[in-house]
Amino acid sequence: MIQTLPKAAAILLASASLALAQPAPVINVNTAKPVAEIQPTMWGVFFEDINFGADGGIYAELVKNRSFEFFKPLMGWKQEGKKRTEGDLLVQNRKDEGSNNPRYLHITANNLATGDMGLTNEGFKGMGLKNGLRYDFSVMYRLLSGSITLRAELLNETNEVVGSGVLTPATKDGQWHKQQVSFTASQTVQKGKLRLWVEGNGTVDLDMVSLFPEDTWKGRPGGMRADMIQMLADMKPGFVRFPGGCIVEGHDLSQRYQWKKTIGPVEDRQLIINRWNFEFAHRPAPDYFQTFGLGFLEYFQVCEDIGAEPLPILNCGMACQFNTAELVPLDQLDPYVQDALDLIEFANGNVSTAWGKKRADLGHPKPFNLKFLGVGNENWGPQYIERLAVFQKAIKAKYPDMKLVCSSGTDPNGDRFDYLNGKLRAMNADLIDEHYYRRPEWFLENVTRYDNYPRTGSKVFAGEWAAQSDRVVSVNNKNNWLCALSEAAFMTGLERNAAVVNMASYAPLFAHAEGWQWTPDLIWVDNLRVYGTPNYYVQKLFSLYKGTHVLDLKQQGAIVAGTDSLYASAVLDQKTNEVIVKLVNVSNKPVDRTIQLDGAKKLKPTATLSLLTTDKLDAVNTFENATAVSPVERQIPVDARKKAITLTLVPHSLSVIRVPVN
Ligand code: AHR
């Protein structure tokens, strides 16, 4: 058990010492004989559009309800102006044209000047604006008569104009056109707005009213928030799982995630409600929809950018079993299976294939080299197994090397899990996706969970997990050090069992401070800022120093999984020629250990210690103090003659020691 904290003054800094009063107990690491390979995918990230993670989050669009497709077509918009008259501003619908984005704004202007008639968009939780940064305002318009000018203004919290530009629709041919104007913000504003004045005489239709900052990830127009992706890139994740999560399943099947509807021009991507809009009565989010501006091409692109394997998860023909549990009859499953086959072709096919060509036409001729595909999220029961079998047969027949990720339901134990685990192993599932949202104690008690898992057959994808300081879906859950520390201890068990556990990801990934439905979350953002939680730094340390091979680590012949409140694992990194030892001290007392590097040849006199600790188990990071709990790095001495490092592991700490070896 994690004990309560001692006084801050009693906490010692981790210190390497060659002269302890008592000889420190010895932990032996056999550096000469790796026991298992570690997959490059070992530590990854799980992305879902929950907590305004995509729209209003990583997707940098600042205008909420840009296409007027929310259930309330003017949600997020406010009509303004002193000469506003009834009927001059109408939402119309072109559903008869078969449009995916049928609504637009029909505007009649009668001799209007600035201030006479307009609209203000409030942004998702306001709009973050940065002083000196360029903003790209664009609209789709259809100029029907007259001559009209649109004046776009950035407003600060007190409605002062802090940037503006004028856009005069150029073509009057009764067709839709896109036009853009850019301008610079003269202030940094946490909760800005966009105001649009209509000037002149005539009639015009508007759609896709959009505002993007210049500083998107890799400067891509209409792209992603660079600061959020950078946090992921910094972790060097082995994979990105997307797009969820429950969002894959949908409240009912009409709301399931359909990847084909998320590619191509953004104005043609059909918006749907986000299931987290209404999932929790205690955290309603009536303005939460999915625009799919972050669609499958963008997901693949981000994976490529940050060197992570893409891991898309597809609907298996079942809607969320906590909600409607709607089921596609087996004889109607073909379109779902076809979506999976087409996705593989979209990702990997050469440009002579239909979907490979589609990818090339969208600007990415090079294949994405997809190796993993998930079928179903948290689905369970015989209905899941029946449907999975159909997918498995079809996918393996065409793509035998594709690794399929299969669901073991919502819990890591119990009848549901046992049934699925048995069936999936009998089906020779490539990877079984296990989820555990549990209290910190559970993580400590389950550090040895995988020690007795079969070494052959199906591998484990620990696909969603996080220690809950209160209980699952409680609004009181905190990303505190107690939770992060218990996760670190647990991760030594995952690492030790890398022969079995090939992938692992904390969940959920992102949360907007004003828009979350689920907590805890790995990374928190507001409109301008981002910070990693203590849990983030744990994940990052494991991921950066994942190594290539597991090494045997024992104290007196036994694994270190709770001995004197210590948890430990060791790896070899054949790429950097380092032995990496991870030690977690969950007690409130310093613990001395000598780490004996058995079989090591010549050693340098120093190693690098990354120490993550704080004297408060309830410590959290915040926007104001973003790195309060974050790793500190320093050199520690190595006894090169004895091939040993002796050190004091400070209370409540994760120590990652990198020792250069030949
Ligand atoms: O991570 C939040 C949710 O938890 C996911 O959407 C779902 O898969 C799980 O129940």
Side-chain angles (χ1 to χ4, degrees), residues 220-240:
R220 291 190 187 119
M224 307 299 143
R225 250 179 82 165
D227 56 347
M228 291 173 71
I229 297 190
Q230 192 60 54
M231 290 293 282
L232 305 185
D234 291 349
M235 295 170 80
K236 295 198 177 26
F239 65 90
V240 179

Side-chain angles (χ1 to χ4, degrees), residues 46 48 50 241 244-247 249 275-276 322 377-378 410 435 437 464 507-508 518:
F46 159 96
E48 176 169 19
I50 185 173
R241 169 184 166 171
C246 292
I247 217 158
E249 302 160 62
R275 61 162 287 146
W276 300 106
F322 289 118
N377 174 47
E378 283 185 345
T410 56
H435 293 185
Y437 295 101
E464 288 185 35
W518 182 294

Side-chain angles (χ1 to χ4, degrees), residues 471-488:
R471 60 185 160 75
V472 72
V473 308
S474 162
V475 295
N476 298 320
N477 285 325
K478 296 276 178 280
N479 282 99
N480 63 28
W481 179 232
L482 168 68
C483 290
L485 193 62
S486 69
E487 288 157 6

Side-chain angles (χ1 to χ4, degrees), residues 382-448:
Q383 293 84 1
Y384 173 61
I385 295 295
E386 283 166 2
R387 278 156 190 74
L388 176 67
V390 178
F391 277 87
Q392 192 188 40
K393 190 168 168 212
I395 295 170
K396 290 287 181 181
K398 199 160 177 199
Y399 302 105
D401 295 335
M402 186 61 54
K403 296 252 183 275
L404 293 187
V405 170
C406 309
S407 161
S408 67
T410 56
D411 293 283
N413 44 29
D415 292 347
R416 195 184 278 167
F417 175 84
D418 292 342
Y419 167 79
L420 287 172
N421 197 35
K423 288 284 180 193
L424 293 175
R425 286 178 184 278
M427 287 168 77
N428 208 14
D430 296 311
L431 286 142
I432 301 179
D433 181 7
E434 298 188 1
H435 293 185
Y436 20 87
Y437 295 101
R438 292 289 192 270
R439 297 253 325 150
E441 302 80 49
W442 185 92
F443 284 87
L444 296 188
E445 286 156 12
N446 284 273
V447 171
T448 57

Side-chain angles (χ1 to χ4, degrees), residues 519-597:
T519 183
D521 304 286
L522 201 62
I523 298 167
W524 287 78
V525 307
D526 65 12
N527 292 343
L528 291 171
R529 298 172 295 179
V530 55
Y531 75 84
T533 56
N535 319 67
Y536 169 83
Y537 288 107
V538 167
Q539 294 288 323
K540 187 173 168 185
L541 283 176
F542 273 79
S543 181
L544 290 184
Y545 306 120
K546 65 172 167 266
T548 53
H549 294 81
V550 182
L551 296 177
D552 186 72
L553 177 150
K554 300 255 166 61
Q555 182 177 325
Q556 292 187 318
I559 61 166
V560 179
T563 330
D564 297 337
S565 303
L566 279 192
Y567 299 82
S569 56
V571 300
L572 175 70
D573 192 326
Q574 284 188 342
K575 290 187 191 142
T576 59
N577 285 331
E578 287 173 325
V579 166
I580 302 163
V581 186
K582 303 186 180 84
L583 300 124
V584 182
N585 176 7
V586 301
S587 79
N588 60 357
K589 298 199 170 49
V591 177
D592 298 331
R593 281 295 179 274
T594 291
I595 299 163
Q596 186 67 52
L597 300 170

Side-chain angles (χ1 to χ4, degrees), residues 39-118:
Q39 297 304 311
T41 52
M42 181 72 192
W43 308 109
V45 295
F46 159 96
F47 185 93
E48 176 169 19
D49 190 3
I50 185 173
N51 304 320
F52 285 81
D55 285 296
I58 206 166
Y59 182 48
E61 173 64 85
L62 293 170
V63 175
K64 180 166 80 180
N65 193 14
R66 65 184 174 188
S67 62
F68 312 102
E69 300 296 327
F70 282 18
F71 291 173
K72 294 181 182 164
L74 285 180
M75 187 180 242
W77 294 94
K78 187 170 157 229
Q79 299 184 41
E80 309 259 20
K82 46 187 185 290
K83 273 177 75 178
R84 199 158 40 92
T85 49
E86 196 61 38
D88 282 355
L89 206 154
L90 297 171
V91 177
Q92 297 194 346
N93 198 314
R94 63 195 141 181
K95 210 165 187 122
D96 50 333
E97 294 169 24
S99 169
N100 287 336
N101 168 19
R103 294 199 197 124
Y104 59 89
L105 212 54
H106 180 70
I107 295 174
T108 307
N110 285 313
N111 214 10
L112 298 177
T114 305
D116 286 345
M117 184 175 95

